[in-house]
Amino acid sequence: MTPESPFQPRRVTILGLGYVGSVTAACFANIGHTVTGVDRDQYKVNCIQAGKAPFFEPGLEEVLRDAVDAGRLRGNTDVAAALADADVAMICVGTPSESNGNIGIEQLQRACGEIRALLDTRTTPLVVAIRSTAFPGVCEQLYRESLGSHPMARIVSNPEFLREGTAMRDFAEPSLIVVGGDDAEAVAMVAGLYHGMKGELCCVSIRTAEMIKYGCNAFHAVKISFANEMGAMCQSLGIPAAEVMETFCKDTRLNISPAYLRPGFAFGGSCLPKDLRALVFRASRLDLNLPLLSNVIASNESHLQRAKNAVMALPGEKLGIFGLAFKENTDDLRESPVVSLLEFLIGKGRTIQVHDPFIDLSLIYGANQKFLLNAIPHIGRLMQPDLDSLLAWADQIVIAQKPSAEYAARIAATGKPVLNLVSL
């Protein structure tokens, strides 16, 4: 990220001097901002004042000391004094798990409440940036309830992506910088704090920013669990797990890439369901419990059921289904989720017609034909030979396979209601 405008130093107050707050304070001061770190814990504040790290993090103490010596960083226990001339109040307090798994936002509420008590005396708006991990909707709740929707407050989400042990490098060399909010000036101010950094800057809606943080952490957990389950399987089979995964990671087109990371319809086809079942079956014979891999099929079936429910909720009497194969640009019908969808709709008495630009029933044979006819013996009566016939007949269009640009335009041109299952 390299904003075209020149660097504009800001006065930033960091509320909370734990791992995230201390690293953020030190690094922003190192960039050139004037930073005040606030915490109720006098020990942490004293450490900051003395240019010492309140905990061990490689590289933190050196940067803290330089920032304090340069006069760009100081500590304080007095929130009012720390916020008196601040442009941005960045909240870095904890959001611990509650007994039921929900996050506790009491510290966020308290910090915002302390800010609210000072807003009436301000003559310029204060940007409140929530850096703590907060579930989508929490920032809006804080603005509405704890900040009282005060006209002198602007709230944004600026989630952190710092790992303990490498936090200083993660801040200095970010792979992603996310700022979310509805106030363009507030978003621009917080984005500007990272001036000159090379990380990818993404300015998004406030709930998107909150969800990105959860998406990242969930995906990291899934990756670790996947690698561990594959490793356990390899170990049981006497296969070098490191070699398997190192080779796996060399595929940067499909494996370590954005491929498949697009919300859409359920997966199907001749490979993914079959091979997952084989892995799970073999694991059971080896007395291995692989919960992640064992539940992928169940997760896919749940997603397919959500699609079925969405189609059933449509008000149109005549449903035109675009797509029959398990994905676009193929005539492979094996384990196509669309076939399962059609079975369900027929069983529920819905009136449907289908068109797939790559399916000619007269040319379907072998395993394809067997799978389709076992599922829907009278499929021939449901197929429309061309898209225009389907569009003219249907009250509502259900897109169950990604259409080409031309087909998408023709569907949109009808003006008929469309339920797109492949692009959520």
Side-chain angles (χ1 to χ4, degrees):
M1 176 190 94
T2 307
E4 295 180 3
S5 57
F7 174 65
Q8 185 173 357
R10 296 289 186 180
R11 296 180 297 273
V12 183
T13 295
I14 306 293
L15 285 80
L17 292 174
Y19 279 90
V20 172
S22 292
V23 170
T24 300
C27 291
F28 275 147
N30 186 52
I31 292 172
H33 301 294
T34 300
V35 181
T36 302
V38 182
D39 202 288
R40 292 185 169 193
D41 188 333
Q42 187 68 56
Y43 170 76
K44 292 179 182 178
V45 171
N46 290 343
C47 286
I48 297 298
Q49 289 284 67
K52 296 181 179 180
F55 49 83
F56 178 72
E57 178 66 34
L60 173 59
E61 187 147 317
E62 295 83 353
V63 176
L64 273 173
R65 184 174 58 247
D66 291 345
V68 171
D69 290 346
R72 290 194 300 270
L73 176 61
R74 63 183 185 273
N76 206 325
T77 56
D78 186 340
V79 175
L83 288 173
D85 60 352
D87 300 310
V88 178
M90 187 163 285
I91 302 179
C92 302
V93 298
T95 51
S97 284
E98 296 181 341
S99 59
N100 62 1
N102 193 19
I103 63 166
I105 63 170
E106 291 80 8
Q107 294 182 58
L108 283 172
Q109 291 170 323
R110 183 170 61 243
C112 286
E114 291 174 330
I115 292 171
R116 168 63 184 88
L118 305 169
L119 291 176
D120 289 341
T121 60
R122 289 190 66 91
T123 57
T124 58
L126 176 68
V127 175
V128 180
I130 306 299
R131 196 151 171 78
S132 306
T133 301
F135 199 75
V138 167
C139 285
E140 293 166 331
Q141 178 185 347
L142 292 170
Y143 179 70
R144 183 177 62 252
E145 297 177 2
S146 301
L147 292 170
S149 302
H150 199 286
M152 281 295 164
R154 308 282 188 271
I155 197 163
V156 302
S157 173
N158 178 218
E160 51 83 17
F161 302 98
L162 307 176
R163 298 167 295 172
E164 292 182 22
T166 60
M168 299 300 289
R169 187 180 69 190
D170 290 343
F171 192 103
E173 302 172 6
S175 55
L176 187 63
I177 300 169
V178 175
V179 184
D182 302 321
D183 186 296
E185 290 185 4
V187 169
M189 181 179 292
V190 174
L193 297 177
Y194 299 91
H195 183 280
M197 304 183 82
K198 296 180 180 179
E200 178 84 14
L201 172 64
C202 299
C203 295
V204 296
S205 70
I206 198 162
R207 290 196 175 201
T208 297
E210 292 169 311
M211 195 63 187
I212 287 170
K213 171 65 175 180
Y214 277 93
C216 289
N217 282 354
F219 188 47
H220 298 162
V222 166
K223 287 195 293 184
I224 292 168
S225 297
F226 170 76
N228 286 339
E229 289 195 2
M230 290 298 294
M233 174 70 87
C234 289
Q235 186 176 32
S236 294
L237 295 172
I239 298 169
E243 184 178 25
V244 170
M245 294 309 295
E246 285 170 8
T247 308
F248 170 93
C249 290
K250 291 183 185 297
D251 181 353
T252 56
R253 184 175 63 180
L254 297 180
N255 292 347
I256 311 302
S257 75
Y260 306 121
L261 291 175
R262 299 177 184 86
F265 201 23
F267 65 74
S270 61
C271 295
L272 301 189
K274 174 179 71 71
D275 293 346
L276 275 165
R277 284 194 290 265
L279 274 172
V280 172
F281 173 82
R282 292 287 183 162
S284 70
R285 292 301 182 268
L286 295 167
D287 289 329
L288 282 177
N289 181 24
L290 305 180
L292 179 67
L293 293 173
S294 298
N295 282 286
V296 173
I297 292 289
S299 173
N300 195 55
E301 290 172 350
S302 293
H303 192 60
L304 178 55
Q305 186 60 51
R306 286 190 289 271
K308 292 175 180 177
N309 294 342
V311 177
M312 280 298 295
L314 297 176
E317 181 178 338
K318 296 183 290 185
L319 304 179
I321 313 295
F322 179 84
L324 182 59
F326 82 97
K327 68 175 185 176
E328 69 274 12
N329 298 320
T330 183
D331 63 357
D332 193 348
L333 297 165
R334 289 171 292 178
E335 302 213 40
S336 169
V338 188
V339 173
S340 178
L341 173 64
L342 297 184
E343 284 185 280
F344 176 80
L345 294 175
I346 291 168
K348 293 294 184 179
R350 300 304 297 264
T351 304
I352 60 175
Q353 292 285 298
V354 185
H355 173 70
D356 189 312
F358 301 100
I359 298 292
D360 183 341
L361 291 182
S362 67
L363 301 178
I364 298 296
Y365 67 96
N368 247 352
Q369 183 186 66
K370 183 179 179 181
F371 174 78
L372 181 61
L373 294 181
N374 281 344
I376 312 174
H378 55 285
I379 184 65
R381 298 201 302 269
L382 303 179
M383 296 295 292
Q384 287 282 1
D386 58 77
L387 179 62
D388 290 336
S389 298
L390 181 78
L391 296 178
W393 174 85
D395 298 324
Q396 179 108 23
I397 311 299
V398 177
I399 297 178
Q401 180 190 103
K402 184 180 179 181
S404 67
E406 176 196 349
Y407 275 29
R410 287 165 64 183
I411 292 171
T414 66
K416 293 184 177 181
V418 174
L419 173 62
N420 192 337
L421 298 177
V422 300
S423 181
L424 301 181

